[in-house]
Amino acid sequence: MVGARLQLYALLALAFMAGILGIYMSGVQRGIDRQRTKIDRARLDKIGQAKEIEDAVNADPDIVSRASRWLREE
């Protein structure tokens, strides 16, 4: 009878620890996803800024001719 109770308590403790580990891991994954989203947004902002600058430079032919002396060919 005592051995059965100890097994029950051991199983309950194990289930509790597995639940805590699952909650912790889901929080870690949520944090990783949040960081990836932040990095992706920053990348998209930088791409948008680069595109705006490129469009502004290409819109003015005088800037293109002057800049070509200082920039490398692609």
Side-chain angles (χ1 to χ4, degrees):
M1 195 70 150
V2 174
R5 270 195 188 169
L6 287 177
Q7 285 179 346
L8 177 64
Y9 290 146
L11 284 175
L12 286 174
L14 207 57
F16 178 75
M17 291 189 328
I20 295 295
L21 181 65
I23 291 170
Y24 174 77
M25 293 306 288
S26 70
V28 167
Q29 188 60 45
R30 198 173 327 133
I32 290 171
D33 291 342
R34 192 175 299 141
Q35 281 299 109
R36 283 183 182 155
T37 301
K38 187 186 285 187
I39 290 169
D40 289 343
R41 276 196 196 121
R43 253 188 215 150
L44 286 174
D45 289 344
K46 298 287 183 185
I47 290 170
Q49 289 174 351
K51 181 68 176 152
E52 287 176 12
I53 291 170
E54 184 179 354
D55 290 345
V57 167
N58 289 336
D60 188 2
D62 186 43
I63 291 177
V64 173
S65 64
R66 286 187 295 156
S68 65
R69 293 185 302 201
W70 301 101
L71 298 176
R72 289 183 280 189
E73 293 294 324
E74 291 185 35

